[in-house]
RNA sequence: GCCCCCAUCGUCUAGGGGACUAGGACGUAGGCCUUUCAAGCCUGAAACGGGGGUUCGAAUCCCCCUGGGGGCACCA
């Protein structure tokens, strides 16, 4: 594999305008994988050149999300690096120098057109059914004149002087070469009137300056890809390897993965935000594994890749260009797999915060045997509370009718419960096999199926129709509580009969 | 409207001219196991969007159509 030979310098360059979602995280993951695989560097860069859209909370959440996923960066904010600063807002001077060079080279020019004129221009073009574009008015301005206006403090932007003739070929790793006629390209803005660069310029400048070797980014950049190539050519810089990743679609396959799904977790659609996934009880390795497989595959049957395997197995050649609808039930599946791979001790530690959050006083000692019982029954850490919360409940209050055994009357159920109460009183609940043998014998004596008896006891003891295995559950609940709950159940069953 | 990209089961995908009666996974249906629910195991249903070419031969190559997605900002 060619990419294994040279260490790759790759970057994840989010804009701190919102929370990190799985689309961005998956891009970060691929970058990380390539860096680790090749012994290169994974760089984090903040593209914060639009002050209007900045979200003060976003930066921190990006850090937290990446750290939770284990995608730690080798250079970037907080930790620095040789190629800093890693916030674009702090690199204004660098861009200014570069833009001067571009103007001198004759590839960029000052533009003094007002926003109003531009808006009007576009409206007219639209009316004429032309694609909106800058008409090049200021392109014709003599350099000296423009220069003096700038000196005079005239508000201005800097535009790229897009070639009017010829074609530009952009090479993307995942697709055929993309060829466009230069005359269909706009004289796009490089530097805004506030002096800040626009993405098209800042990203390219930084990728070059930071010696980025491979650029992974969303395919929403495909239409402007040739523009970026043109900037490289104007500077006579060497381009990185480009790979435009498939977009992630909503679970329905309709439309780009949207915030609406994030805010609307109904119908199996979970949140698209990384930190929400953490809170819901997903494991980072499951999320990584899941994300990696949207747009990348290894072969025709391997799917389970923990991070070390992912780093080994990842390859640019197997990246897939077509859009992918996210499938949250597959995330559940992976999470279940990783959950079952955890040691009981680790599972205990992981589920403990969820019990605490639910208001249960669950220390790890008491949680340990419970963890063992729920491990095969949960798909998220939060599920553990749902299925085993009753262990920490003072009183469980099953609806009396639920206590009636399958195909039985309340009287029969009460009788069975009474008999069971007597037997259990004589048993050592720690002896699982003996308890089971005895209760089965009792069922037989009562002419009941084991399931009928167990069902009554299950409801009586756990308050749930679905629970971990009864015998083991009883051992954890403890004899005295088991007996008192069965007694309560007997009372309820009797009342049920009387009220009839 | 214009530009760009994409196209295999419901979903994620393997496939890069003959090994394809198209493989795997999720989900789904049925079964086994079973004290419930899971887990596990077994079995099944389920796809090459359409039309033209090229070729002895096409899921694989080319063209058109259709469908889907993305983009057309002093946002990224």
């Amino acid at each position: 594999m060619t990419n294994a030979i040279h260490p790759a310098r790759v970057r994840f360059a989010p804009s701190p305008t919102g929370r990190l979602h799985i689309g961005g995280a998956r891009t970060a993951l691929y970058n990380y994988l390539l860096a680790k695989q090749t012994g290169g560097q994974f760089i984090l860069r903040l593209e914060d050149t639009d002050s209007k859209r900045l979200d003060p909370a976003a930066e921190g959440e990006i850090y937290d999300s990446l750290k939770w996923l284990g995608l730690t960066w080798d250079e970037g904010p907080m930790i620095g690096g040789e190629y800093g600063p890693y916030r674009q807002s702090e690199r204004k001077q660098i861009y200014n120098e570069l833009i001067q060079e571009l103007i001198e080279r004759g590839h960029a020019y000052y533009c003094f057109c007002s926003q109003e004129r531009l808006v009007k221009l576009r409206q007219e073009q639209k009316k004429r059914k032309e694609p909106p574009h800058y008409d090049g008015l200021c392109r014709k301005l003599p350099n000296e004149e423009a220069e003096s206006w700038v000196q005079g403090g005239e508000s201005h932007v800097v535009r790229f002087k897009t070639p009017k003739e010829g074609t530009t070929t952009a090479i993307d790793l995942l697709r055929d070469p993309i060829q466009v006629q230069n005359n269909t390209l706009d004289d796009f803005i490089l530097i805004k009137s506030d002096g800040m660069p626009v993405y098209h310029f800042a990203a390219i400048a930084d990728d070059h300056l930071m010696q980025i070797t491979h650029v992974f980014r969303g395919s929403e950049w495909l239409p402007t890809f040739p523009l970026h190539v043109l900037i490289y050519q104007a500077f006579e810089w060497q381009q990185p390897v480009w790979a435009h990743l498939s977009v992630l679609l909503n679970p329905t396959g309709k439309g780009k993965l949207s915030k609406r799904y994030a805010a609307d977790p109904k119908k199996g659609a979970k949140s698209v935000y990384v930190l929400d996934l953490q809170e819901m009880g997903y494991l980072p390795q499951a999320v990584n594994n899941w994300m990696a497989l949207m747009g990348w595959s290894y072969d025709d049957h391997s799917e389970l890749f923990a991070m070390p395997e992912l780093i080994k197995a990842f390859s640019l050649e197997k990246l897939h260009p077509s859009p992918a609808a996210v499938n949250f039930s597959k995330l559940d599946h992976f999470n279940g797999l990783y959950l079952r791979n955890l040691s009981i001790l680790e599972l205990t530690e992981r589920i403990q915060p969820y019990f605490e959050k639910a208001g249960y006083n669950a220390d790890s000692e008491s949680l340990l045997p419970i963890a063992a019982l729920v491990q095969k029954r949960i798909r998220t850490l939060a599920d553990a509370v749902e299925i085993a919360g009753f262990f920490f409940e003072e009183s469980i209050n099953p609806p009396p009718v639920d206590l009636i055994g399958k195909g039985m009357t309340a009287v029969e159920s009460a009788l069975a419960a009474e008999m069971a109460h007597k037997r259990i009183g004589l048993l050592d609940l720690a002896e699982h096999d003996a308890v089971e043998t005895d209760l089965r014998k009792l069922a037989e004596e009562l002419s009941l199926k084991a399931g009928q008896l167990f069902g009554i006891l299950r409801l009586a003891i756990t308050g749930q129709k679905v629970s971990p295995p009864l015998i083991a559950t009883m051992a954890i609940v403890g004899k005295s509580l088991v007996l008192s709950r069965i007694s309560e159940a007997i009372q309820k069953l009797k009342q049920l009969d009387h009220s009839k």
Side-chain angles (χ1 to χ4, degrees), chain A residues 464-475:
Chain A
Q464 301 172 178
K465 289 182 178 174
V466 170
S467 82
L470 184 64
I471 312 296
T473 298
M474 290 198 299

Side-chain angles (χ1 to χ4, degrees), chain A residues 8-27:
Chain A
R9 280 182 60 83
V10 290
R11 99 280 121 128
F12 177 52
S15 178
T17 53
R19 313 182 59 194
L20 185 67
H21 57 81
I22 53 181
R26 183 257 238 142
T27 305

Side-chain angles (χ1 to χ4, degrees), chain A residues 61-255:
Chain A
E61 175 147 349
I62 288 168
Y63 300 154
D64 292 345
S65 301
L66 291 176
K67 283 181 190 164
W68 178 67
L69 288 168
L71 308 179
T72 49
W73 51 101
D74 303 302
E75 296 171 29
M78 319 301 287
I79 60 170
E82 271 183 69
Y83 299 83
Y86 293 91
R87 265 189 202 85
Q88 290 187 328
S89 58
E90 295 168 11
R91 300 171 63 80
K92 207 167 162 178
Q93 188 51 40
I94 297 170
Y95 304 125
N96 273 331
E97 286 167 22
L98 248 22
I99 211 70
Q100 285 310 319
E101 183 184 340
L102 209 56
I103 291 171
E104 280 161 26
R105 281 167 173 261
H107 291 297
Y109 60 93
Y110 293 109
C111 173
F112 305 91
C113 292
S114 68
Q115 303 249 26
E116 296 75 51
R117 181 177 118 76
L118 263 22
V119 169
K120 217 176 116 197
L121 188 67
R122 276 196 287 270
Q123 282 170 350
E124 286 166 2
Q125 288 164 340
K126 208 168 177 182
K127 227 179 281 174
R128 274 179 273 136
K129 295 199 170 177
E130 283 173 27
H133 65 281
Y134 182 61
D135 63 355
L137 182 68
C138 295
R139 184 172 170 138
K140 303 171 197 113
L141 241 42
N143 231 326
E144 301 74 39
E145 195 174 334
E147 209 67 69
S148 71
W149 286 10
V150 169
Q151 296 301 322
E154 195 71 32
S155 176
H156 64 277
V157 300
V158 178
R159 284 181 185 275
F160 189 69
K161 198 180 281 183
T162 306
K164 287 289 175 227
E165 284 159 12
T167 62
T168 296
T169 304
I171 307 293
D172 177 274
L173 199 61
L174 316 186
R175 316 157 218 267
D176 291 336
I178 297 162
Q179 286 211 340
V180 293
Q181 303 286 325
N182 289 152
N183 60 20
T184 66
L185 268 20
D186 204 1
D187 277 4
F188 58 104
I189 288 171
L190 261 16
I191 303 282
K192 299 182 271 186
S193 55
D194 66 359
M196 279 299 223
V198 112
Y199 170 88
H200 303 301
F201 183 59
I204 270 59
D206 287 345
D207 285 345
H208 173 258
L209 261 17
M210 295 179 181
Q211 297 188 24
I212 300 302
T213 58
H214 303 257
V215 172
F216 295 103
R217 38 142 59 162
S219 65
E220 64 265 25
W221 295 114
L222 237 25
T224 46
F225 184 17
L227 262 24
H228 304 147
V229 170
L230 249 14
I231 296 180
Y232 273 95
Q233 290 174 350
F235 276 112
E236 295 177 53
W237 289 339
Q238 204 198 340
Q239 293 181 56
V241 173
W242 302 92
H244 291 84
L245 272 16
S246 59
V247 275
L248 261 28
L249 270 27
N250 282 319
T252 53
K254 286 279 174 195

Side-chain angles (χ1 to χ4, degrees), chain A residues 248-263:
Chain A
L248 261 28
L249 270 27
N250 282 319
T252 53
K254 286 279 174 195
K256 190 158 88 158
L257 193 61
S258 69
K259 308 258 157 73
R260 228 187 64 236
Y261 267 90

